[in-house]
Amino acid sequence: MTAETLFDPLFLSRLQFALKALFHILWSSLSIGLILYIFLMEALWLRRKDNFYYIQARFWTRFFLLIFAIGVVSGIPMGFEFGTNWGRFAAAKNGFIGEMLGVEATMAFMLEAGFLGIMAFGWGRVSKGLHLFATAMVALGTSLSAFWIMVANSWMQTPSGLSPAGSSVVTSYLQAIFNPDMPWGVSHMYVAALETTLFFVGAVSAWYLLRRRHTDFFLRSFKIVLAAAVFIAPLQVLVGDMSGKAVARHQPAKLAAFEAHWETNPPGTGAAWKAVAWPDQAKQANNWEIEIPNVLSLLLTYSPTGEVKGLKEFPREDQPPVLITFYTFRIMFSIGFALVFLMLWTLWEWRKGHLKPEALPDRKALLYAWMIALPLSYTAIEMGWVTREVGRQPWLIYGLIRTNEAASVLPSGAVAASLAGYLIVYSVLFFFFVVMARGILMKGPDLHGEPSYPTLSPPPGKEEESR
């Protein structure tokens, strides 16, 4: 990368939006799953009358409120950027995107904000049923927010509902919303958020178990998320596989970049899968590679000789960056399989009777692995997002508008200054989170049980009548 590229306003604008997105996704992804976990704990408390679930709900709510606050603060500037750094896109091309973001704000964010206060401060002040309803509405709002954001992003991957052909004007909102990428884009991201939440709760529980603090309490939460991971971890691998097949159908150049697959395999010959390679886009070939014959064809077409289009089928100016997407894709799915392995390992230890308070001191490697799994889960999400977005290049809306046609005309110094400002602000936010999260961890859960619910007294002068 040359100095000229580093100071190019387009590159700086792309870098700024990417950094904002990568930072924001840290909080938004966890909030999606964590509020569902809190809702489940609260519902179980009301059903089973076991204060363990109430204490669980209260403890993890502290983390949720902190994460939600940082998510809101870090997410709002992303919307403003359509009018600052991407003004040409906002002015002419993003009617559908703007409307989806508007729907997300009015339908989802307002729902979250409207009930968040009741959920956070309503304990002992409103009825148990109303509090559970408020928690459910926050959870619904969070999930709806993820849905509408991913609908907008999926439409940019596979734009649909357009008329006339080649236009960016949406005439069928049903087709635009349910575009070909939407089912897999939404499900892959949503399940990733659930999986990250499970390993977040598991990592925090493992931290307490290693320190032998509240062992009985956190051993139960550890087992709860392990039971959920039995379904969620393999499901994410399956959804990821189906998502990759959808990319092969609708964005074949993107898939070829994922796999550093340059030449379309001839009829009767299978496409090899490159386990590792060093792609050279200038040469339109790999400098070296370790490959497994026929596996790529088998994975994508269920046939060992199925055709997989090579990247040379597409003009160079339409090809995504290969080196970045090749390795971010592999980091993502390698972590996905590693999390499945960790789930199976832990399940085996549970079956052998080793997940007991007296046996945990001899299972330090397992507990440390769960703590390491948390940053790995986040890394998988970040790498998946980089793969998805960089793989769409050079298009902002796939096949319709190029990224270099959408950026505002800005001096590089102005973009560099705003980028530096956001780096400082987001660094402060991350430091704030670390300090506050450490405080929550050190304090631990309040084990005193459920709140008291005051009874209503009759109004003055009515005591005798009430008797």
Side-chain angles (χ1 to χ4, degrees), residues 128-407:
K128 296 176 181 179
L130 178 57
H131 193 278
L132 180 65
F133 178 76
T135 305
M137 291 301 100
V138 176
L140 176 61
T142 305
S143 294
L144 284 174
S145 180
F147 173 78
W148 290 115
I149 293 296
M150 288 306 301
V151 163
N153 182 268
S154 290
W155 183 80
M156 295 171 73
Q157 305 284 341
T158 54
S160 304
L162 305 173
S163 181
S167 168
S168 62
V169 177
V170 172
T171 56
S172 173
Y173 274 72
L174 191 63
Q175 291 180 17
I177 291 171
F178 294 95
N179 62 81
D181 180 76
M182 188 279 288
W184 305 113
V186 171
S187 59
H188 197 33
M189 185 65 223
Y190 196 81
V191 177
L194 298 182
E195 186 174 35
T196 300
T197 299
L198 295 180
F199 285 96
F200 171 78
V201 174
V204 173
S205 299
W207 186 85
Y208 280 101
L209 293 174
L210 280 167
R211 284 154 181 78
R212 303 186 188 184
R213 291 181 58 190
H214 313 298
T215 299
D216 292 335
F217 180 81
F218 283 105
L219 184 56
R220 288 183 69 180
S221 64
F222 187 75
K223 290 179 177 179
I224 288 171
V225 296
L226 172 59
V230 170
F231 300 97
I232 295 298
L235 177 62
Q236 179 65 337
V237 173
L238 176 62
V239 172
D241 176 67
M242 300 305 295
S243 179
K245 289 179 172 61
V247 171
R249 288 193 300 272
H250 303 290
Q251 296 173 290
K254 186 177 185 179
L255 189 280
F258 289 177
E259 302 295 350
H261 180 62
W262 300 98
E263 303 277 357
T264 302
N265 51 301
T269 303
W273 179 72
K274 283 80 173 175
V276 290
W278 192 257
D280 188 329
Q281 199 138 8
K283 292 168 52 179
Q284 298 283 283
N286 298 325
N287 290 333
W288 56 265
E289 59 191 26
I290 299 175
E291 63 180 22
I292 306 174
N294 302 333
V295 170
L296 185 59
S297 291
L298 193 61
L299 288 173
L300 294 177
T301 69
Y302 302 109
S303 168
T305 58
E307 181 184 270
V308 181
K309 282 190 177 181
L311 203 54
K312 287 184 179 181
E313 297 281 340
F314 307 92
R316 289 199 182 203
E317 62 270 19
D318 293 343
Q319 294 178 4
V322 179
L323 182 63
I324 294 174
T325 53
F326 180 82
Y327 278 103
T328 55
F329 182 66
R330 274 149 182 74
I331 293 170
M332 175 190 65
F333 77 69
S334 296
I335 292 174
F337 281 105
L339 296 179
V340 171
F341 171 78
L342 177 58
M343 175 272 294
L344 293 173
W345 176 18
T346 313
L347 199 62
W348 174 258
E349 295 284 3
W350 192 359
R351 183 178 180 275
K352 299 292 286 185
H354 296 157
L355 295 189
K356 295 179 180 178
E358 61 273 15
L360 285 174
D362 296 327
R363 298 292 174 270
K364 289 184 178 180
L366 178 66
L367 297 177
Y368 276 116
W370 272 82
M371 292 176 63
I372 295 171
L374 176 58
L376 286 180
S377 299
Y378 271 121
T379 301
I381 285 184
E382 301 282 26
M383 293 299 99
W385 197 252
V386 171
T387 301
R388 179 177 176 84
E389 297 305 288
V390 175
R392 189 182 65 227
Q393 298 304 315
W395 305 100
L396 192 63
I397 301 178
Y398 197 78
L400 292 180
I401 178 173
R402 295 178 183 273
T403 304
N404 59 11
E405 299 170 349

Side-chain angles (χ1 to χ4, degrees), residues 21-35:
L22 292 174
F23 184 80
H24 176 66
I25 205 171
L26 293 173
W27 322 104
S28 58
S29 58
L30 184 55
S31 65
I32 293 167
L34 193 56
I35 187 60

